[in-house]
Amino acid sequence: MALQLLVAGGGIGGLASALALARGGHRVELFEQSAVFAEVGAGIQLGPNAVRRLHALGLAQALDTIAAKPDALVVRAASDDHELACLPLGDVAVRRYGAPYCCVHRADLHGVLLAAVRAQADVALNHPARLVQIEHSDDVVTVAADGARAWEGDALIGADGLWSAVRAELDVPGPAPQPTGHTAWRGLLSQAALPLAQRSTQVRVWLGDRLHALVYPVRGGELLNVVVLAEAAPTGDARDWDQSTSLDALQRATGRCCTTLQGYLSAVPTWRAWTLHDRAPLTGPGQMTHERIALLGDAAHPMLPYLAQGAGMAIEDAVALAEALRSVDSDGVPEALRRYANARWQRNARVQARARRNAQIFHAAGPLRMARDLAMRTLGARLLDQPWLYAH
Ligand code: FAD
């Protein structure tokens, strides 16, 4: 039966869910507060778990046109550039997990999802439309956007990100997002403008004291995404994903790194910063749904990007939500949303917890760092591979 579904938020999670729900035969009204559908930020890594779902949503060809498919993940020490471990990706990931490991520009992925959603006759995109009022009864959810007209639906999906208004209305148990004391500095480089030795087809990671850095190709390999994640005080408005900053500000917080990494950092023309927040891992399905309202993506489970899976989990949520709502009539919606939350909360909690643990491992100093480096050199690919995550 075709349900009328309301989706708050037009980020990666909101668009992926609108697409999955429309492909499941439902009518969707999506609300995005921004005047323009767009994504700030730079690179996103997509593990095979997320890529398989995007393929299932019919996006394999479109993804191929925007993605870089790195050959390997190579981890080095930020102090002297010595290699600690390497995980082959490329065809090895495809053989192992049925889909490639992809790196994309956030705006490109958003553009692919938006085009696919626009091609669905049963999705209405409302923007700018900031949801300000939510009411729900046993039978229906009603929302109003910025005092404008009201919409009714069989369910409301809160895909409205870290500072979710839907979550606030829901009175979901759990504290507000917490600042983690970590900041992401990021920039982009044109590969064509770099000397050959600096061009890369790998995900390169450097681990240092209280920081790690990544360099990986996006936009089909045309650009390199450069990001440094450091335990450093926020630089500006903590809610702003796109703060203006500089290499000086970064290196006052982190100091200088090995020459290879320094070469990439110095080449970045414009730096932006992003203050990182997370929530404690989910403790039960009640934190993802209540009656006719469900949360998805960062609205439900924001996490540190230290497993590169926040968007991946939003995409997994979207597909699971559509699956739970398949062949359900309006009376069956609350039970279907409970099935969705039951199917998703432990997976999301595990990823949240692993992302937090990775922060300690990646940024270790002293004896813990020595133990980490020894384990990496000894176990190599076996330590970097994540079958529990990618095969799911
Ligand atoms: P958002 O992207 O926050 O989208 C929410 C949308 O809702 C926005 O468009 C917002 O304008 C809209 N909105 C908010 N309130 C309202 C309202 N009241 N009414 C209407 N609209 C509203 N993930 C990965 O998978 N791989 C990575 O490599 C990766 N790297 C990352 C690197 C960094 C530095 C950071 C910070 C995150 C990274 N992530 C990564 C995580 C990923 O970016 C997020 O998990 C993902 O973008 C969450 O998507 P979302 O749709 O749930 O939320």
Side-chain angles (χ1 to χ4, degrees):
M1 184 197 158
L3 299 168
Q4 176 72 39
L5 301 169
L6 311 172
V7 175
I12 290 166
L15 289 177
S17 49
L19 180 60
L21 293 167
R23 286 174 60 99
H26 303 300
R27 292 186 306 276
V28 178
E29 292 279 349
L30 184 144
F31 307 91
E32 168 54 46
Q33 64 183 359
S34 310
V36 181
F37 276 95
E39 269 283 347
V40 293
I44 278 202
Q45 300 175 70
L46 293 171
N49 54 310
V51 174
R52 270 199 320 277
R53 273 136 181 118
L54 293 171
H55 287 183
L57 289 173
L59 301 177
Q61 220 178 343
L63 193 59
D64 264 358
T65 63
I66 59 158
K69 295 174 187 160
D71 342 305
L73 165 68
V74 183
V75 183
R76 296 172 178 276
S79 54
D80 61 8
D81 202 35
H82 74 264
E83 184 173 317
L84 295 169
C86 172
L87 173 69
L89 295 172
D91 291 344
V92 177
V94 178
R95 277 199 301 278
R96 191 129 203 239
Y97 298 117
Y101 194 100
C102 290
C103 296
V104 296
H105 192 292
R106 191 180 281 272
D108 295 344
L109 175 61
H110 191 264
V112 159
L113 287 166
L114 185 59
V117 166
R118 285 205 161 116
Q120 297 288 327
D122 282 337
V123 182
L125 296 175
N126 303 283
H127 67 103
R130 187 170 61 97
L131 282 203
V132 287
Q133 203 183 337
I134 300 161
E135 284 167 16
H136 54 115
S137 66
D138 285 350
D139 306 323
V140 73
V141 186
T142 310
V143 300
D146 278 333
R149 57 168 277 212
W151 286 261
E152 284 191 348
D154 296 298
L156 169 63
I157 310 306
D160 51 344
L162 182 65
W163 307 106
S164 170
V166 177
R167 186 184 177 109
E169 280 291 323
L170 249 189
D171 197 21
V172 177
Q178 297 299 309
T180 58
H182 295 223
T183 300
W185 274 267
R186 56 188 165 70
L188 288 166
L189 291 172
S190 159
Q191 295 242 50
L194 291 174
L196 281 179
Q198 273 189 315
R199 296 183 197 176
S200 176
T201 55
Q202 301 174 334
V203 178
R204 293 183 171 175
V205 183
W206 287 266
L207 305 182
D209 284 359
R210 301 161 70 82
L211 74 92
H212 76 286
L214 296 102
V215 174
Y216 57 82
V218 296
R219 194 160 288 167
E222 195 182 307
L223 301 174
L224 280 183
N225 182 58
V226 181
V227 55
V228 180
L229 296 139
E231 294 176 36
T235 54
D237 173 2
R239 290 193 177 211
D240 181 358
W241 279 24
D242 201 26
Q243 302 153 31
S244 174
T245 185
S246 65
L247 182 57
D248 265 4
L250 165 60
Q251 298 210 306
R252 272 199 302 278
T254 64
R256 286 173 69 86
C257 302
C258 63
T259 317
T260 313
L261 176 55
Q262 191 64 36
Y264 285 114
L265 304 186
S266 303
V268 171
T270 313
W271 285 96
R272 313 296 292 178
W274 190 331
T275 307
L276 300 179
H277 291 73
D278 73 355
R279 284 183 196 272
L282 296 167
T283 54
Q287 289 169 313
M288 289 189 71
T289 190
H290 179 66
E291 295 172 358
R292 289 180 176 271
I293 303 182
L295 300 174
L296 176 149
D298 278 10
H301 43 70
M303 57 186 78
L304 282 166
Y306 295 176
L307 203 55
Q309 283 284 341
M313 288 306 108
I315 292 165
E316 285 195 6
D317 284 350
V319 172
L321 177 70
E323 186 55 37
L325 287 168
R326 192 179 298 279
S327 311
V328 163
D329 64 12
S330 186
D331 290 346
V333 165
E335 176 55 31
L337 296 183
R338 278 194 291 277
R339 277 202 303 279
Y340 153 73
N342 280 328
R344 291 300 303 156
W345 78 269
Q346 282 161 311
R347 165 88 167 157
N348 286 319
R350 186 173 181 191
V351 174
Q352 285 178 292
R354 284 295 286 264
R356 281 186 166 189
R357 202 183 80 181
N358 278 358
Q360 290 164 350
I361 296 172
F362 289 3
H363 297 184
L368 182 56
R369 180 174 66 191
M370 288 195 293
R372 175 200 74 198
D373 291 357
L374 179 64
M376 283 208 166
R377 278 195 294 265
T378 316
L379 297 171
R382 273 177 292 157
L383 199 67
L384 296 182
D385 201 3
Q386 312 281 339
W388 68 274
L389 183 58
Y390 300 144
H392 182 87

